[in-house]
Amino acid sequence: MADEDAFGLLPGFVWAVTEAFAPAVAAYRFEQGDVIYRDRRGQGPLGTPLPDDLTAIQLLAPPRSARVVPSDFEGDRRQANWQSEVELELVDLARGRSESFATTQGRLFTALWKDDLSTLQGEGDDPPLPRSARELFALLREGVLAIGPVQGVRSGVRFLFVVDRSNDAARAKAVAIVDALHPLGPVEARDLDPIEAGAPDGDRFHPTLVIRELVLPDVEQEAVEAALRRALYGGSGEAERFSVGRHGLLERLGASEHA
């Protein structure tokens, strides 16, 4: 997996945004007391002297709350959070200097994501809300993405689905899928960010979104579909109502058939 995992960092951000901030990232709501470092060196014990270029952002407002992550159907709350105001200090730790800013959650998020501190100063247009997991899944389902063929596997199955690594439910679902497939044989996994997956305007998608590719060599498609049904079907009626296509893209390797 990506190098960020070894340091407990969320992927996609230039700044060292740790997994502890996953709820803030998912909801677009950083709060009073949050401290984010420009460099992963800020996550461990700091020696003396401090690194010359070590910088941090400390949130002064808004006040702390329960910080609930909106569901997929609460886009309005995400938009409201994105546009809401924050107060922060940009701190040069080595020199003991700080600069205060009043800005928005969206501008703060973009500064952490792209490392463009000019956004904190109100320069340029307000950044747009990042594109969502739902939009990325639609591109996957419609065959718009340019994900290359699996190399070195002559037969078997590939399952592709979207994971938001800042979302607890999405991560738990991804674990459940792999756990369900492991009894069938070895599962080869890799993550592709939207740019690597060939998404149009891939740099506009939320930075923690990935397409997860699971490859099962020499396994029948029917066995994979049955395992996914057991892991993902939550209905109380007939299991025939289950559709793999609602969760991802199932491909038989060595053939052009899709489920």
Side-chain angles (χ1 to χ4, degrees), residues 43 47 49-50 93 113 140 149 187 207 221 226 240 243 247:
Q43 307 306 322
L50 294 174
L93 293 166
W113 177 13
L140 173 65
V187 180
Q221 179 172 328
E240 284 73 14
S243 171
H247 301 276

Side-chain angles (χ1 to χ4, degrees), residues 1-2 5 11 136 140 145 147 158-165 170-178 187-193 197 208-215 247-249:
M1 287 293 180
D5 288 341
L136 186 58
L140 173 65
L145 302 182
I147 300 173
R158 170 166 73 174
F159 185 56
L160 298 160
F161 61 107
V162 176
V163 181
D164 181 352
R165 290 179 57 189
R171 291 199 308 270
K173 178 178 177 179
V175 170
I177 289 172
V178 172
V187 180
E188 302 171 9
R190 68 166 176 156
D191 285 350
L192 297 158
D193 67 37
T208 61
L209 293 180
V210 296
I211 300 289
R212 184 153 294 171
E213 176 190 72
L214 303 179
V215 176
H247 301 276
L249 184 65

